[in-house]
Amino acid sequence: MSMSESTGKASVQGAYRILIVITNPKLAPKATKLLDENAIPMHFQLTAAGTASSEILDILGLGSTDKNFLISMVPKSLCRGLLKMLKRTLRIGLPDSGIVFTMPLTGASALMLRVMNQMGDEGETDRVPEGKDGGASMGEMKYAMVAAIINQGYSEKLMDAAKSAGASGGSVLHSRRIGNEKGLSFWGLGAKDDKEIVMIIASAENKLAIMKAISESCGLKSEAEGIVMSMPIDEVIGLGDDEI
């Protein structure tokens, strides 16, 4: 492995965040333009389908089940400023707007870290002002991302279970599993390659109950062959009580 492609963990811990924007297709170009204008070097766009009812979509400010995901890696010092800008640009909080949140990043390639560090050297931290604080600590985080990987066609059943435990809605990404057949068999995984990834933003107090409900309904030993995990959310706008 070359030095340029090695993985940096200690240097990235706490210093960088994954920025995720979930919005409707009409507003996604505005978010992309804002990231470009602020010299964020790399971001990806994905399409997803929502699982929430129309009533829940109204509460979350998403007027349809068609969603665009924008995912980017940004220095922690820029997050608060970017969240404020995205809130204004996308008018987060109004109907049919979206949700924006950040998640801690615990590892990245050395090449990517150099690109991120160069942003600070060239003054981008002046373009996007740093907030008064660096975001919530791990123990103070109010929300988490619950992600479940299941066989295709079981997302509705999964969401029924998740909602019974307090989840309001989620987003579904379609994917295809790639893996060694012997390894999959060893872990008790079936041969179905078409998968769905369901992502749910949950409150910290409901996270474990939601994960338990998903595991009981669509766990690894069920026909859904589900794998469920959670990741902490650092800061969030679009849920009403955690506005920047």
Side-chain angles (χ1 to χ4, degrees):
M1 180 183 294
S2 66
M3 289 295 292
S4 63
E5 292 301 323
S6 64
T7 300
K9 292 185 179 180
S11 59
V12 76
Q13 182 88 33
Y16 300 93
R17 294 292 185 266
I18 294 294
L19 173 70
I20 299 180
V21 181
I22 306 175
T23 189
N24 66 58
K26 291 183 179 179
L27 290 177
K30 292 185 177 182
T32 300
K33 181 180 179 182
L34 188 149
L35 295 175
D36 289 339
E37 289 175 347
N38 285 280
I40 303 301
M42 186 182 301
H43 41 271
F44 304 91
Q45 182 169 326
L46 303 86
T47 58
T51 64
S53 65
S54 59
E55 180 181 357
I56 294 299
L57 288 169
D58 290 340
I59 293 174
L60 295 180
L62 294 169
S64 71
T65 57
D66 293 329
K67 300 179 185 179
N68 278 175
F69 275 63
L70 295 176
I71 302 175
S72 182
M73 175 181 170
V74 299
K76 178 181 176 180
S77 61
L78 306 187
C79 286
R80 184 60 65 91
L82 279 173
L83 288 173
K84 289 180 178 179
M85 290 183 177
L86 286 164
K87 180 181 178 181
R88 292 195 301 267
T89 300
L90 304 182
R91 305 181 73 183
I92 299 295
L94 295 180
D96 204 21
S97 55
I99 301 171
V100 183
F101 58 94
T102 59
M103 302 173 66
L105 184 67
T106 58
S109 68
L111 178 60
M112 193 66 205
L113 291 180
R114 284 203 297 272
V115 172
M116 291 291 109
N117 288 329
Q118 188 174 3
M119 292 179 63
D121 295 339
E122 295 180 354
E124 275 74 9
T125 50
D126 294 330
R127 185 181 305 179
V128 184
E130 183 177 1
K132 293 181 180 180
D133 57 65
S137 68
M138 296 291 283
E140 298 171 341
M141 292 178 182
K142 296 182 179 180
Y143 295 97
M145 170 73 80
V146 176
I149 305 171
I150 55 175
N151 288 333
Q152 191 170 21
Y154 288 90
S155 58
E156 186 173 345
K157 181 179 180 181
L158 183 148
M159 282 308 307
D160 286 342
K163 288 177 182 178
S164 71
S168 56
S171 300
V172 182
L173 294 170
H174 297 281
S175 67
R176 187 171 182 81
R177 183 177 63 194
I178 300 174
N180 179 277
E181 291 294 334
K182 291 184 179 179
L184 296 173
S185 176
F186 176 81
W187 290 106
L189 297 174
K192 296 180 180 179
D193 292 331
D194 291 329
K195 298 289 180 179
E196 291 174 338
I197 302 173
V198 182
M199 294 183 288
I200 301 168
I201 298 178
S203 65
E205 60 185 15
N206 285 345
K207 179 191 71 174
L208 291 179
I210 291 172
M211 295 177 69
K212 181 179 179 181
I214 291 173
S215 295
E216 291 177 349
S217 176
C218 300
L220 194 59
K221 294 183 179 180
S222 71
E223 292 183 358
E225 295 184 327
I227 299 172
V228 62
M229 64 198 79
S230 69
M231 293 155 278
I233 289 177
D234 189 27
E235 295 191 79
V236 59
I237 57 174
L239 292 180
D241 60 342
D242 287 88
E243 302 300 328
I244 294 297

Coordinates of all heavy atoms in Angstrom, one line a residue, residues 16-21 30-43 71-92 99-102 116 119 124-131 235-237 244:
Y16 N -13.0 15.9 11.1 CA -13.8 15.9 9.8 C -15.2 15.4 10.1 O -15.4 14.6 11.0 CB -13.1 15.2 8.7 CG -11.7 15.7 8.4 CD1 -10.6 15.3 9.1 CD2 -11.6 16.8 7.5 CE1 -9.3 15.8 8.8 CE2 -10.3 17.3 7.3 CZ -9.2 16.8 7.9 OH -8.0 17.4 7.7
R17 N -16.1 15.7 9.2 CA -17.5 15.3 9.3 C -17.9 14.8 7.9 O -17.5 15.3 6.9 CB -18.4 16.4 9.8 CG -18.1 16.8 11.3 CD -18.5 15.7 12.2 NE -18.4 16.0 13.6 CZ -17.3 15.8 14.3 NH1 -16.2 15.3 13.8 NH2 -17.3 16.2 15.6
I18 N -18.9 13.9 7.9 CA -19.6 13.6 6.7 C -20.9 14.4 6.7 O -21.6 14.4 7.7 CB -20.0 12.1 6.7 CG1 -18.8 11.2 6.5 CG2 -21.0 11.8 5.5 CD1 -18.1 11.3 5.2
L19 N -21.1 15.2 5.7 CA -22.2 16.1 5.6 C -23.2 15.4 4.6 O -22.9 15.1 3.5 CB -21.8 17.5 5.0 CG -22.9 18.4 4.6 CD1 -23.6 19.0 5.9 CD2 -22.4 19.6 3.8
I20 N -24.5 15.3 5.1 CA -25.5 14.7 4.3 C -26.7 15.6 4.2 O -27.2 16.1 5.2 CB -25.9 13.3 4.9 CG1 -24.8 12.4 5.0 CG2 -27.1 12.7 4.1 CD1 -25.1 11.0 5.6
V21 N -27.1 15.8 2.9 CA -28.3 16.7 2.6 C -29.3 15.8 2.0 O -29.0 15.1 1.0 CB -27.9 17.8 1.7 CG1 -29.1 18.7 1.4 CG2 -26.8 18.7 2.2
K30 N -29.4 23.5 -6.0 CA -29.0 24.6 -5.2 C -28.0 24.2 -4.1 O -27.1 25.0 -3.8 CB -30.3 25.2 -4.5 CG -31.2 25.9 -5.5 CD -32.4 26.6 -4.7 CE -33.3 27.3 -5.7 NZ -34.4 28.1 -5.0
A31 N -28.2 23.1 -3.5 CA -27.3 22.6 -2.5 C -25.9 22.3 -3.1 O -24.9 22.6 -2.6 CB -27.9 21.3 -1.8
T32 N -26.0 21.6 -4.3 CA -24.7 21.3 -5.0 C -24.0 22.6 -5.4 O -22.7 22.7 -5.2 CB -25.0 20.5 -6.3 OG1 -25.7 19.3 -6.0 CG2 -23.8 20.2 -7.1
K33 N -24.7 23.6 -5.8 CA -24.1 24.9 -6.2 C -23.4 25.5 -5.0 O -22.3 26.0 -5.1 CB -25.1 25.8 -6.8 CG -24.5 27.2 -7.2 CD -25.6 28.1 -7.8 CE -25.0 29.4 -8.2 NZ -26.1 30.3 -8.7
L34 N -24.1 25.5 -3.8 CA -23.5 26.0 -2.6 C -22.2 25.3 -2.2 O -21.2 26.0 -1.9 CB -24.5 26.0 -1.5 CG -24.2 26.7 -0.2 CD1 -25.4 27.2 0.5 CD2 -23.4 25.8 0.8
L35 N -22.2 24.0 -2.3 CA -21.0 23.3 -2.0 C -19.9 23.6 -2.9 O -18.7 23.8 -2.6 CB -21.3 21.8 -2.0 CG -22.2 21.2 -0.9 CD1 -22.5 19.8 -1.1 CD2 -21.7 21.5 0.5
D36 N -20.2 23.8 -4.2 CA -19.2 24.1 -5.2 C -18.6 25.5 -5.0 O -17.4 25.7 -5.0 CB -19.8 24.1 -6.6 CG -20.1 22.7 -7.1 OD1 -19.4 21.7 -6.6 OD2 -20.9 22.5 -8.0
E37 N -19.5 26.5 -4.6 CA -19.1 27.8 -4.4 C -18.2 27.9 -3.2 O -17.3 28.9 -3.1 CB -20.3 28.7 -4.2 CG -21.1 29.0 -5.5 CD -22.4 29.8 -5.2 OE1 -22.8 29.9 -4.0 OE2 -23.0 30.3 -6.2
N38 N -18.3 27.0 -2.2 CA -17.5 27.0 -1.0 C -16.3 26.1 -1.1 O -15.7 25.7 -0.1 CB -18.3 26.7 0.2 CG -19.2 27.9 0.6 OD1 -18.7 28.8 1.2 ND2 -20.4 27.9 0.2
A39 N -16.0 25.6 -2.4 CA -14.8 24.9 -2.7 C -14.7 23.5 -1.9 O -13.7 23.1 -1.6 CB -13.5 25.7 -2.4
I40 N -15.9 22.9 -1.6 CA -15.9 21.6 -1.1 C -15.5 20.7 -2.2 O -16.1 20.6 -3.2 CB -17.3 21.2 -0.6 CG1 -17.8 22.2 0.5 CG2 -17.3 19.8 0.0 CD1 -16.9 22.4 1.7
P41 N -14.3 20.0 -2.1 CA -13.7 19.3 -3.2 C -14.4 18.1 -3.8 O -14.2 17.7 -4.9 CB -12.3 18.9 -2.7 CG -12.5 18.8 -1.2 CD -13.6 19.8 -0.8
M42 N -15.3 17.4 -3.0 CA -15.8 16.2 -3.4 C -17.2 16.0 -2.8 O -17.3 16.1 -1.6 CB -14.9 15.0 -3.1 CG -15.4 13.7 -3.6 SD -14.2 12.3 -3.1 CE -12.7 12.9 -3.7
H43 N -18.2 15.7 -3.6 CA -19.5 15.3 -3.1 C -20.2 14.4 -4.1 O -19.9 14.5 -5.3 CB -20.4 16.6 -2.7 CG -20.3 17.7 -3.7 ND1 -19.4 18.7 -3.6 CD2 -21.1 18.0 -4.8 CE1 -19.6 19.6 -4.6 NE2 -20.6 19.1 -5.3
I71 N -23.8 13.8 -0.4 CA -22.9 13.3 0.6 C -21.5 13.9 0.4 O -21.0 13.8 -0.8 CB -22.8 11.8 0.7 CG1 -24.2 11.2 0.9 CG2 -21.9 11.3 1.7 CD1 -24.3 9.7 0.8
S72 N -21.0 14.5 1.4 CA -19.7 15.1 1.2 C -18.8 15.0 2.5 O -19.4 14.8 3.6 CB -19.8 16.6 0.9 OG -18.6 17.3 0.7
M73 N -17.5 15.1 2.3 CA -16.6 15.1 3.5 C -16.1 16.6 3.7 O -15.6 17.2 2.7 CB -15.4 14.2 3.2 CG -14.4 14.2 4.3 SD -13.0 13.1 3.9 CE -11.8 13.5 5.1
V74 N -16.3 17.1 4.9 CA -15.9 18.5 5.1 C -15.1 18.6 6.4 O -15.4 17.8 7.4 CB -17.1 19.5 5.1 CG1 -17.8 19.4 3.8 CG2 -18.0 19.1 6.2
P75 N -14.2 19.6 6.6 CA -13.6 19.8 7.9 C -14.6 20.2 8.9 O -15.6 20.9 8.6 CB -12.6 21.0 7.6 CG -12.4 20.9 6.1 CD -13.7 20.5 5.5
K76 N -14.4 19.8 10.1 CA -15.4 20.1 11.2 C -15.5 21.6 11.4 O -16.6 22.1 11.7 CB -14.8 19.5 12.5 CG -15.7 19.8 13.7 CD -15.1 19.1 14.9 CE -15.8 19.5 16.2 NZ -15.2 18.8 17.4
S77 N -14.5 22.4 11.2 CA -14.5 23.8 11.4 C -15.5 24.5 10.4 O -15.9 25.7 10.6 CB -13.1 24.4 11.2 OG -12.6 24.2 10.0
L78 N -15.8 23.9 9.3 CA -16.7 24.5 8.3 C -18.1 24.1 8.4 O -19.0 24.7 7.8 CB -16.2 24.1 6.9 CG -14.8 24.4 6.5 CD1 -14.6 24.1 5.0 CD2 -14.4 25.8 6.8
C79 N -18.4 23.1 9.3 CA -19.7 22.5 9.3 C -20.8 23.5 9.7 O -21.9 23.6 9.1 CB -19.8 21.3 10.2 SG -19.0 19.8 9.5
R80 N -20.6 24.2 10.8 CA -21.6 25.1 11.3 C -22.0 26.2 10.3 O -23.1 26.5 10.1 CB -21.1 25.7 12.6 CG -22.1 26.6 13.3 CD -23.4 25.9 13.7 NE -23.2 24.9 14.7 CZ -23.3 25.0 16.0 NH1 -23.6 26.2 16.5 NH2 -23.1 24.0 16.9
G81 N -21.0 26.7 9.6 CA -21.2 27.7 8.6 C -22.0 27.1 7.4 O -22.9 27.8 6.9
L82 N -21.6 25.9 7.0 CA -22.3 25.3 5.9 C -23.8 25.0 6.2 O -24.7 25.2 5.4 CB -21.6 24.0 5.5 CG -20.4 24.2 4.6 CD1 -19.7 22.9 4.4 CD2 -20.8 24.7 3.2
L83 N -24.0 24.5 7.5 CA -25.4 24.2 7.9 C -26.2 25.5 7.9 O -27.4 25.5 7.4 CB -25.3 23.6 9.3 CG -24.8 22.2 9.4 CD1 -24.7 21.8 10.8 CD2 -25.7 21.2 8.6
K84 N -25.7 26.6 8.3 CA -26.4 27.9 8.3 C -26.7 28.3 6.9 O -27.9 28.7 6.5 CB -25.6 29.0 9.0 CG -25.5 28.8 10.5 CD -24.7 29.9 11.1 CE -24.7 29.8 12.6 NZ -23.9 30.9 13.2
M85 N -25.8 28.1 6.0 CA -26.0 28.5 4.6 C -27.0 27.6 3.9 O -27.9 28.1 3.2 CB -24.7 28.4 3.8 CG -23.7 29.5 4.2 SD -22.2 29.4 3.1 CE -21.3 30.8 3.7
L86 N -26.9 26.3 4.2 CA -27.9 25.3 3.6 C -29.3 25.6 4.1 O -30.3 25.5 3.4 CB -27.4 23.9 3.9 CG -26.2 23.4 3.0 CD1 -25.6 22.2 3.7 CD2 -26.6 23.2 1.6
K87 N -29.4 26.0 5.4 CA -30.7 26.3 6.0 C -31.3 27.4 5.2 O -32.5 27.4 4.9 CB -30.5 26.6 7.4 CG -31.9 26.9 8.1 CD -31.7 27.2 9.6 CE -33.0 27.6 10.2 NZ -32.9 28.0 11.7
R88 N -30.5 28.5 4.9 CA -31.1 29.6 4.2 C -31.4 29.3 2.8 O -32.4 29.6 2.2 CB -30.1 30.8 4.3 CG -29.9 31.4 5.7 CD -29.2 32.8 5.6 NE -27.9 32.7 4.9 CZ -26.8 32.5 5.6 NH1 -26.8 32.4 6.9 NH2 -25.6 32.4 5.0
T89 N -30.4 28.6 2.1 CA -30.6 28.3 0.7 C -31.7 27.4 0.4 O -32.5 27.6 -0.6 CB -29.3 27.7 0.1 OG1 -28.2 28.6 0.3 CG2 -29.4 27.4 -1.4
L90 N -31.9 26.3 1.2 CA -32.9 25.4 1.0 C -34.2 25.7 1.8 O -35.2 25.0 1.6 CB -32.4 24.0 1.4 CG -31.2 23.5 0.7 CD1 -30.8 22.1 1.1 CD2 -31.3 23.5 -0.9
R91 N -34.1 26.7 2.6 CA -35.2 27.1 3.4 C -35.7 26.0 4.3 O -36.9 25.7 4.3 CB -36.4 27.7 2.5 CG -35.9 28.8 1.6 CD -37.0 29.4 0.8 NE -37.9 30.2 1.6 CZ -39.1 30.8 1.2 NH1 -39.4 30.6 -0.1 NH2 -39.8 31.5 1.9
I92 N -34.7 25.4 4.9 CA -35.0 24.2 5.8 C -36.0 24.6 6.9 O -35.9 25.6 7.5 CB -33.7 23.7 6.4 CG1 -32.7 23.2 5.3 CG2 -34.0 22.5 7.4 CD1 -33.2 22.0 4.5
I99 N -33.8 17.8 5.1 CA -33.0 17.7 6.3 C -31.5 17.7 6.0 O -31.1 17.2 5.0 CB -33.3 16.3 7.0 CG1 -34.8 16.2 7.3 CG2 -32.5 16.1 8.3 CD1 -35.3 14.8 7.8
V100 N -30.7 18.3 6.9 CA -29.3 18.3 6.7 C -28.6 17.9 8.0 O -29.1 18.4 9.1 CB -28.8 19.7 6.3 CG1 -27.3 19.7 6.1 CG2 -29.5 20.3 5.1
F101 N -27.7 17.0 8.0 CA -27.0 16.7 9.2 C -25.5 16.3 8.9 O -25.1 16.0 7.8 CB -27.7 15.5 9.9 CG -27.9 14.3 9.1 CD1 -27.0 13.2 9.2 CD2 -29.0 14.1 8.3 CE1 -27.2 12.1 8.5 CE2 -29.2 13.0 7.5 CZ -28.3 11.9 7.6
T102 N -24.8 16.2 10.0 CA -23.4 15.8 9.9 C -23.1 14.6 10.8 O -23.8 14.4 11.8 CB -22.4 16.9 10.3 OG1 -22.7 17.3 11.7 CG2 -22.6 18.1 9.4
M116 N -8.4 17.9 2.3 CA -9.1 18.6 3.3 C -8.3 19.7 4.0 O -8.7 20.8 4.3 CB -9.7 17.6 4.3 CG -10.8 16.7 3.7 SD -12.3 17.6 3.3 CE -12.3 17.6 1.5
M119 N -7.7 22.9 2.2 CA -8.8 23.9 2.3 C -8.5 24.9 3.3 O -8.7 26.1 3.1 CB -10.1 23.2 2.5 CG -10.6 22.3 1.4 SD -12.1 21.5 1.8 CE -13.2 22.9 2.0
E124 N -10.3 28.8 3.1 CA -11.8 28.5 3.0 C -12.5 28.6 4.3 O -13.7 28.8 4.4 CB -12.0 27.1 2.4 CG -12.0 27.1 0.9 CD -10.6 27.2 0.3 OE1 -9.6 27.1 1.1 OE2 -10.5 27.3 -0.9
T125 N -11.7 28.5 5.4 CA -12.4 28.7 6.7 C -12.8 30.1 6.9 O -13.7 30.4 7.8 CB -11.4 28.3 7.9 OG1 -10.2 29.0 7.7 CG2 -11.2 26.8 7.9
D126 N -12.3 31.1 6.2 CA -12.8 32.4 6.3 C -14.0 32.6 5.4 O -14.9 33.4 5.8 CB -11.7 33.4 5.7 CG -10.5 33.4 6.6 OD1 -10.6 33.2 7.8 OD2 -9.4 33.7 6.1
R127 N -14.2 31.8 4.4 CA -15.4 31.9 3.5 C -16.6 31.3 4.2 O -17.7 31.9 4.1 CB -15.1 31.1 2.2 CG -16.2 31.2 1.2 CD -16.0 30.4 0.0 NE -14.7 30.8 -0.6 CZ -14.2 30.2 -1.7 NH1 -14.9 29.2 -2.3 NH2 -13.0 30.5 -2.2
V128 N -16.4 30.2 5.0 CA -17.5 29.7 5.7 C -17.1 29.8 7.2 O -16.3 29.0 7.7 CB -17.7 28.2 5.4 CG1 -18.9 27.6 6.1 CG2 -17.9 28.0 3.9
P129 N -17.7 30.7 8.0 CA -17.3 30.9 9.3 C -17.5 29.8 10.3 O -18.5 29.1 10.1 CB -18.2 32.1 9.8 CG -19.4 32.1 8.9 CD -18.9 31.5 7.6
E130 N -16.6 29.6 11.2 CA -16.8 28.5 12.2 C -17.8 28.9 13.2 O -17.9 30.1 13.6 CB -15.4 28.2 12.8 CG -15.5 27.1 13.8 CD -14.1 26.8 14.4 OE1 -13.2 27.5 14.0 OE2 -14.0 25.8 15.2
G131 N -18.5 27.9 13.7 CA -19.5 28.2 14.8 C -18.8 28.5 16.1 O -17.6 28.3 16.3
E235 N -24.7 17.1 14.2 CA -25.6 18.2 14.2 C -26.6 18.0 13.1 O -26.4 17.3 12.1 CB -24.9 19.5 13.9 CG -23.9 19.9 15.0 CD -23.4 21.3 14.8 OE1 -24.1 22.3 15.2 OE2 -22.2 21.5 14.3
V236 N -27.8 18.6 13.3 CA -28.9 18.3 12.4 C -29.8 19.6 12.3 O -30.0 20.3 13.3 CB -29.8 17.1 12.8 CG1 -30.4 17.3 14.2 CG2 -30.9 16.8 11.8
I237 N -30.3 19.9 11.1 CA -31.3 20.9 10.9 C -32.4 20.3 10.1 O -32.2 19.5 9.2 CB -30.8 22.2 10.2 CG1 -30.1 21.8 8.9 CG2 -29.8 22.9 11.1 CD1 -29.7 23.1 8.1
I244 N -29.9 25.3 13.7 CA -28.6 26.0 13.8 C -28.9 27.5 13.9 O -29.7 28.1 13.2 CB -27.7 25.8 12.6 CG1 -27.3 24.3 12.5 CG2 -26.5 26.7 12.5 CD1 -26.4 23.9 13.7

